[in-house]
DNA sequence: TCGTGTGAAGACGTTCACAGCT
DNA sequence: AGCTGTGAACGTCTTCACACGA
């Protein structure tokens, strides 16, 4: 983010989308795709797609389009998806334990290596089969296992406190599902997903 | 969105945040707040907050600040949160059934009135206690119950098909948790939450 | 001719800075 | 004096339009 030639955040989101679309094309044995076609699949303007892709270099052939496999691999490279990235999850309540059972992360190169909860027994009943520890053991775990990403699913009132501990323990990125506004040092990256806000937003725009 | 004096999407998200912050202030018995203080709590620039709030009219008093209760109620009004908004959910798998148990929606004025799944028996085992129907009954239900918002949690490959059916059945806004890019008529609003993309994004920005 | 890569234009969003009300 | 409301400056993102390579 602070880097000089970092790709803008919005572009990174779109690159993820392009990557998924390319994978589908590759699965169908398609070898080449034009910016127009790929843009339509990704729901964006074709010239935006071309601009986005040139952040990665020049992968297209004029008059032809982009080589599906090559471009997909360039995207994986840019998104640092080549190897499995370990992640921890804090707060294995309803939402947290659902995310633990969710397969979508693994598919995109992330592995939840441990989960922490104030009441691991209750979480275990929810059918979690990821190593599950008492919340206090978080720091010890992180000392022995260098994980950089955390998924935060604790209730809003505890979110800031847990975030502080995560940052002190060396976590560099937090995916925050609580509706709290987290204050963290500027080198730490936070992405927040607020489910209620998303509904409020929809609710506003349906006239 | 298409309206002439619709408030921009980004502003609506921030208004949700301001509303939550105001509620906390109100709970603590605080009656007046300045743009600077509220902006800090919401993690934004104070002049942005003032601009955002003037979309709702002029609620502040120069030299004093904003009346907490009054402003909160103006926000609820703008966000159409005054009354309970019914919502349906399609796809009660891991994520879907977790959302059904999630309390955060109710708190912000939404009620999931029914859920639909291809295999309701399996979903029922996950401890859902919202009326749960076979997916095919969706259209009949919507005919009798005029719901405008749907939460879509089906696997990516079924998302477009289900979205088409929702739109035909009169749904106006879709909160899409699948990683698919949905094509819908332009008067339909779609908000997508792609959990894997969020992690990819973090992964990119932690250097 | 087809489709990429890209400067330039345009739309949009944010921040500044200050006039004006209390 | 303190703080809002707001034009104007600034910055960022998107789209246009076309030169250029295959």
């Amino acid at each position: 983010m602070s880097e000089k030639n970092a790709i803008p955040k919005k572009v990174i989101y779109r690159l993820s989308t392009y990557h998924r679309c390319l994978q589908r094309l590759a699965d169908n044995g398609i070898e080449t795709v034009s910016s127009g076609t790929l843009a339509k699949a990704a729901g964006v303007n074709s010239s935006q797609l071309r601009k986005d892709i040139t952040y990665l270099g020049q992968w297209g052939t004029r008059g032809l389009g982009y080589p599906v496999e090559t471009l997909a691999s360039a995207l994986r490279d840019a998104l640092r998806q080549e190897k499995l990235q370990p992640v921890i999850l804090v707060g294995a309540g309803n939402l947290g334990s659902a995310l633990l059972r969710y397969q979508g992360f693994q598919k995109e190169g992330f592995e939840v290596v441990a989960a922490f909860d104030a009441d691991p027994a209750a979480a275990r009943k929810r059918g979690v089969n990821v190593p599950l520890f008492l919340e206090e053991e978080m720091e010890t775990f992180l000392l022995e296992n260098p994980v950089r990403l955390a998924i935060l699913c604790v209730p809003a009132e505890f979110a800031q406190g847990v975030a502080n501990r995560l940052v002190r323990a060396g976590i560099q990125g937090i995916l925050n599902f609580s509706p709290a506004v987290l204050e963290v040092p500027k080198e730490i990256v936070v992405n927040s997903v607020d489910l209620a806000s998303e509904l409020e937003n929809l609710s506003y725009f349906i006239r």
Side-chain angles (χ1 to χ4, degrees), chain A residues 113-185:
Chain A
V113 293
F116 301 89
D117 197 278
D119 183 357
R124 222 161 263 131
K125 279 199 206 106
R126 281 189 264 267
V128 168
N129 64 348
V130 158
L132 188 53
F133 305 103
L134 196 62
E135 206 171 279
E136 289 134 40
E137 304 176 62
M138 212 165 74
E139 281 83 356
T140 327
F141 181 93
L142 288 172
L143 218 58
E144 285 159 16
N145 304 270
V147 175
R148 301 159 79 197
L149 293 176
I151 302 176
L152 185 54
C153 295
V154 301
E157 59 269 39
F158 305 121
Q160 182 67 60
V162 174
N164 293 346
R165 288 172 54 201
L166 287 169
V167 170
R168 254 182 277 124
I171 286 287
Q172 294 171 48
I174 298 176
L175 180 49
N176 172 36
F177 282 91
S178 88
V181 177
L182 300 183
E183 264 191 276
V184 296

Side-chain angles (χ1 to χ4, degrees), chain A residues 9-56:
Chain A
K9 187 174 171 126
K10 283 189 153 184
V11 176
I12 295 293
Y13 278 115
R14 290 195 298 261
L15 293 180
S16 296
T17 308
Y18 305 156
H19 182 241
R20 259 200 319 275
C21 295
L22 285 169
Q23 273 182 315
R24 234 188 20 240
L25 293 174
D27 290 347
N28 293 346
I30 290 159
E31 292 181 352
T32 305
V33 68
S34 74
S35 63
T37 311
L38 187 52
K40 189 124 70 77
V44 303
N45 177 298
S46 72
S47 112
Q48 175 158 77
L49 182 139
R50 291 198 299 276
K51 270 242 156 90
D52 288 348
I53 284 175
T54 51
Y55 276 106
L56 312 175

